[in-house]
Amino acid sequence: SKDRGRNTYNFYTHQMDQDINRRLRVEEQLRNALKRKEFEVYFQPLVEIKSRKIIGAEALLRWKNALLGQVTPDEFIPIAEQTGLIIPIGQYVIDIAFNATKKWQQQFQSQFKIAINVSPKQFRENTFIDMLKMQLEKHQIHVSSVELEITEGVLLNGDPIINSNLTSINDIGVSISMDDFGTGYSSLSYLRSYPFDTLKVDKSFINDITVDPGDLELVGAAIAMGHGLNLKVVAEGIETEEQYHLLRSLKCDYGQGYLFSKPLPRAEFEELLQTQVKS
Ligand code: C2E
Ligand code: CA
Ligand code: CA
Ligand code: CA
């Protein structure tokens, strides 16, 4: 029994060691990832529900490292946040996404829209607005083409710089979207207090709308409320025709999901866009 006790203890420390090791390894590799050009920006189509046409894309970051292989954003984004590495990484995403957007606007679709995820640390940085303006200028992107997606986490601790950054963003004409709507605690009061343009209903609600009447009711209510507040509504995680048709009947404005396309590397996204323009 003494042995077993020791083994159990060893088992737990071993697991904890592994977790800490993994985190340290990810952090260490993340420090050099930009320099080593290990990131790639993928694009997932943003589709207008009623026409089923691609009207833009969400930029989604991918990281492939020689030692760790492919690491998911759900693992590395929080570590990039905690270490501050999200600042240069976030700027890189905007740079690449604006570059692609400009090209696609010139070649295929002048109204093409780009949505970019901005995490709390990035948003709280007092240089964020200047960086954004600089990138808009550099790529000659019109403000009306850009939407920044923020989660409740950005708004949580009521830092005054957040309010002033949101106001500045709204003033220059860039749109703001509330991402993962419905998963947090205070989404409703935030919608009232801040200048949002778009509400993005979380994919966990879309998942079961065809089987769970409660979820269907909630999504319907979220869309109606969004429209009542003069917001556009995007449904994320649309995977089936059935879900699409329900959302269409609920007058949801835009959608994203594997039904239309997974996030794609730049060249593949461009082919998809090209096909749509020709047809
Ligand atoms: P998110 O902003 O909610 O992005 C949507 C996630 O859902 C993406 O995961 C996307 O690939 C996935 N998705 C899209 N359609 C479907 C579908 O039909 N079914 C299912 N099951 N999933 C779908 P991804 O790319 O792994 O990103 C995860 C999260 O990482 C994002 O969630 C976002 O919070 C964060 N993230 C990704 N790129 C960036 C970035 O450049 N900057 C920041 N700050 N965060 C990012
Ligand atoms: Ca998002
Ligand atoms: Ca606005
Ligand atoms: Ca989401």
Side-chain angles (χ1 to χ4, degrees):
S1 72
K2 199 177 167 194
D3 275 352
R4 195 193 289 152
R6 195 193 296 142
N7 283 338
T8 309
Y9 174 77
N10 283 342
F11 173 77
Y12 283 114
T13 45
H14 181 63
Q15 183 58 51
M16 284 157 66
D17 274 356
Q18 281 197 330
D19 291 350
I20 292 165
N21 266 327
R22 167 82 187 175
R23 199 195 170 290
L24 287 174
R25 271 152 46 94
V26 169
E27 184 178 328
E28 192 189 345
Q29 294 303 310
L30 205 52
R31 288 193 186 283
N32 300 306
L34 264 182
K35 202 170 58 205
R36 292 183 186 146
K37 303 189 190 308
E38 295 174 346
F39 290 114
E40 194 174 351
V41 178
Y42 275 43
F43 298 89
Q44 185 176 37
L46 183 62
V47 171
E48 183 182 51
I49 294 285
K50 66 171 193 289
S51 64
R52 222 173 154 141
K53 287 239 156 74
I54 300 171
I55 57 114
E58 178 178 2
L60 291 159
L61 193 57
R62 296 292 177 263
W63 178 32
K64 193 174 177 190
N65 173 265
L67 247 88
L68 302 165
Q70 195 83 36
V71 185
T72 66
D74 286 327
E75 183 176 11
F76 74 79
I77 294 283
I79 297 172
E81 269 275 311
Q82 287 152 21
T83 52
L85 290 165
I86 194 68
I87 305 299
I89 294 172
Q91 172 159 3
Y92 170 82
V93 172
I94 291 179
D95 196 22
I96 300 295
F98 280 9
N99 180 281
T101 298
K102 187 65 190 180
K103 179 166 187 254
W104 297 334
Q105 287 179 338
Q106 286 171 333
Q107 290 191 346
F108 311 115
Q109 223 170 299
S110 59
Q111 304 292 313
F112 189 88
K113 288 198 168 16
I114 189 74
I116 301 201
N117 294 287
V118 181
S119 60
K121 180 76 130 281
Q122 265 178 294
F123 207 80
R124 262 180 234 130
E125 189 76 2
N126 51 22
T127 56
F128 182 76
I129 303 294
D130 286 339
M131 183 275 283
L132 181 64
K133 282 188 186 156
M134 189 269 278
Q135 289 291 346
L136 287 164
E137 180 71 23
K138 174 180 172 189
H139 297 283
Q140 290 293 296
I141 296 281
H142 195 266
V143 286
S144 65
S145 326
V146 182
E147 185 147 84
L148 302 179
E149 300 193 354
I150 63 173
T151 56
E152 237 185 63
V154 169
L155 309 169
L156 273 180
N157 49 32
D159 197 325
I161 186 138
I162 291 160
N163 216 336
S164 101
N165 276 352
L166 274 167
T167 308
S168 306
I169 287 165
N170 191 45
D171 287 349
I172 56 177
V174 167
S175 299
I176 307 160
S177 165
M178 176 172 278
D179 207 350
D180 300 344
F181 181 76
T183 58
Y185 297 103
S186 326
S187 314
L188 285 180
S189 64
Y190 289 135
L191 279 185
R192 194 182 53 182
S193 322
Y194 298 102
F196 284 100
D197 300 274
T198 305
L199 188 161
K200 225 169 162 176
V201 180
D202 191 68
K203 57 181 177 295
S204 61
F205 292 98
I206 306 304
N207 208 27
D208 289 338
I209 47 169
T210 56
V211 289
D212 185 333
D215 279 4
L216 180 61
E217 205 54 49
L218 279 173
V219 171
I223 293 169
M225 187 202 60
H227 288 164
L229 292 171
N230 243 330
L231 306 172
K232 295 292 184 196
V233 181
V234 183
E236 55 171 38
I238 306 174
E239 295 182 352
T240 69
E241 289 291 341
E242 257 184 301
Q243 291 168 339
Y244 168 75
H245 286 292
L246 274 176
L247 289 161
R248 196 185 160 128
S249 68
L250 292 171
K251 302 271 191 291
C252 187
D253 303 284
Y254 305 106
Q256 266 178 272
Y258 298 163
L259 174 65
F260 312 115
S261 168
K262 294 200 165 183
L264 300 171
R266 178 174 175 155
E268 282 174 51
F269 183 88
E270 196 167 305
E271 277 174 41
L272 189 67
L273 207 55
Q274 200 160 13
T275 322
Q276 170 172 296
V277 170
K278 279 186 190 146
S279 65

